[in-house]
């Protein structure tokens, strides 16, 4: 034992690096191109792959750019709260109607009970329903704002979403301030049947009353704005703005193609197509949106 101990000491003394070299180095996976971006992997969450150009992007950098790809300018989804935070002056957003929670008036069930679907979505997202609304200041000017949460059941509009949208206009009416709504929705929430369709009339009536105060309602259409939302308050804006390449329309292109049995033109129902055909007023890239909205409000309010 004594001999082996002294031999080891001798080896270490002769070559102090031997212990280091004999250790297999642990290679830290830092090359994002090599990283496994599959859900649940170690690198997931740190890097994001652009859906459009395939560029691998560092999430923190991407968030600073409001989820717009620096390589191809593709506008990825931006969470509602990040969007509202980026719009209003820091610390001025005051959320309203947080107590409103959806019910299941029809006891609806498809592959899953609507009640259970609501519960699990609420738990996963931490949102009560598909709309966040409140009052904030935009360059010092009070605005009543709301934004769809597309991740919540495709931003579908049930009674609660409809009520929250209505209250955006009611608050704007009371405060005599402009209203801004960001739309991203698949349309009416089928699980609430007629109750969800009634929201189209209710919200439109609220806009009609809001017109009395002669303040602008700016509708910002995000990707995608479709169905009953597009067919009611989204198109009723005094100024209608869209983000680049957003899908905007009532029925989806596939449904239309099947109905009319014709091939639709290239880019049909995209922001650029709608602008060319006079359906919207402007396409504004996300990073310019705040400044442009402030400018529009300054001119109109
Ligand atoms: Zn890209």
């Amino acid at each position: 034992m004594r001999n082996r101990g002294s031999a080891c000491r001798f080896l270490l003394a002769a070559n102090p690096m031997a212990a280091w070299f004999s250790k297999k180095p642990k290679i830290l996976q830092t090359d994002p191109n090599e990283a496994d971006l599959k859900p649940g992997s170690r690198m997931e969450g740190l890097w994001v792959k652009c859906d459009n150009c395939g560029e691998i992007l560092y999430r923190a950098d991407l968030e600073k750019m409001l989820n717009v790809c620096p390589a191809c300018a593709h506008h990825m989804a931006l969470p509602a709260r990040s969007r509202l935070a980026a719009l209003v002056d820091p610390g001025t957003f005051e959320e309203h109607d947080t107590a409103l929670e959806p019910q299941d008036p029809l006891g609806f069930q498809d592959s899953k009970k609507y009640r259970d679907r609501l519960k699990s979505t609420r738990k996963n997202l931490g949102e009560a329903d598909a709309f966040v609304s409140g009052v904030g200041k935009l360059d010092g000017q009070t605005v009543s704002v709301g934004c769809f949460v597309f991740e919540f059941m495709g931003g579908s509009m049930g009674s609660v979403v409809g009520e929250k949208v209505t209250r955006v206009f009611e608050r704007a009416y009371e405060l005599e301030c402009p209203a801004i709504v960001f739309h991203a929705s698949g349309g009416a929430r089928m699980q609430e049947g007629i109750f969800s369709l009634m929201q189209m009339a209710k919200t439109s009536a609220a806009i009609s009353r809001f017109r009395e105060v002669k303040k602008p309602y700016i509708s910002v259409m995000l990707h995608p704005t479709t169905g009953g939302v597009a067919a009611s308050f989204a198109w009723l804006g005094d100024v209608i703005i869209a983000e680049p390449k957003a899908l905007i329309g009532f029925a989806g292109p596939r449904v239309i193609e099947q109905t009319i049995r014709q091939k639709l033109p290239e880019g049909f129902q995209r922001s650029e197509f709608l602008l060319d055909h006079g359906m919207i007023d402007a396409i504004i890239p996300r990073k310019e949106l705040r400044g442009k909205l402030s400018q529009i409000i300054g001119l109109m309010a």
Side-chain angles (χ1 to χ4, degrees), residues 8-253:
C8 272
R9 270 197 298 275
F10 170 74
L11 267 174
L12 283 171
N15 186 359
M17 297 299 281
W20 290 92
F21 284 125
S22 60
K23 252 188 195 172
K24 246 192 167 175
K26 275 185 190 163
I27 297 167
L28 201 66
Q29 185 80 277
T30 49
D31 182 356
N33 291 308
E34 298 287 314
D36 183 5
L37 292 174
K38 282 178 196 146
S41 80
R42 194 159 53 90
M43 300 306 286
E44 202 233 350
L46 217 52
W47 303 95
V48 183
K49 191 173 180 179
C50 172
D51 302 333
N52 188 48
C53 70
E55 183 84 6
I56 309 284
L57 306 158
Y58 188 45
R59 188 182 289 274
D61 289 344
L62 186 64
E63 281 169 5
K64 275 184 215 151
M65 315 239 343
L66 301 174
N67 288 4
V68 176
C69 174
C72 71
H74 174 57
H75 284 51
M76 301 179 205
L78 180 66
R81 287 179 192 276
S82 308
R83 185 176 287 280
L84 291 172
L87 174 79
V88 297
D89 301 344
T92 60
F93 183 68
E94 190 193 324
E95 192 175 350
H96 283 261
D97 311 322
T98 47
L100 293 179
E101 284 196 2
Q103 302 297 311
D104 181 14
L106 305 177
F108 191 88
Q109 182 174 357
D110 43 36
S111 59
K112 206 173 170 185
K113 279 185 183 162
Y114 176 45
R115 199 175 289 271
D116 295 341
R117 203 183 285 275
L118 282 173
K119 213 168 148 187
S120 61
T121 314
R122 234 179 277 167
K123 200 176 151 206
N124 291 341
L125 294 174
E127 297 289 354
D129 208 330
F131 199 77
V132 179
S133 55
V135 172
K137 291 206 185 282
L138 175 55
D139 283 339
Q141 161 82 51
T142 302
V143 284
S144 178
V145 289
C147 182
F148 273 82
V149 181
F150 188 74
E151 305 77 40
F152 196 107
M153 297 182 70
S156 55
M157 174 175 62
S159 318
V160 167
V161 172
E163 179 61 22
K164 282 187 158 190
V165 173
T166 303
R167 291 189 189 186
V168 167
F169 298 110
E170 285 178 348
R171 268 193 295 276
Y173 174 83
E174 279 155 26
L175 298 168
E176 298 192 19
C177 72
I180 303 173
V181 180
F182 294 91
H183 307 94
S185 174
R189 188 171 294 171
M190 288 304 123
Q191 290 87 342
E192 291 189 24
I194 190 73
F195 295 102
S196 101
L197 295 176
M198 282 172 173
Q199 308 309 314
M200 294 168 68
K202 185 169 86 179
T203 49
S204 302
I207 294 172
S208 174
R209 181 165 168 259
F210 164 69
R211 300 251 191 261
E212 290 169 21
V213 296
K214 298 199 167 29
K215 294 286 173 185
Y217 158 37
I218 305 170
S219 168
V220 185
M221 297 188 178
L222 312 173
H223 176 73
T225 300
T226 58
V229 170
S232 56
F233 50 91
W235 283 117
L236 291 174
D238 296 308
V239 179
I240 302 172
I241 290 164
E243 279 198 340
K245 292 186 186 149
L247 176 76
I248 300 162
F250 180 59

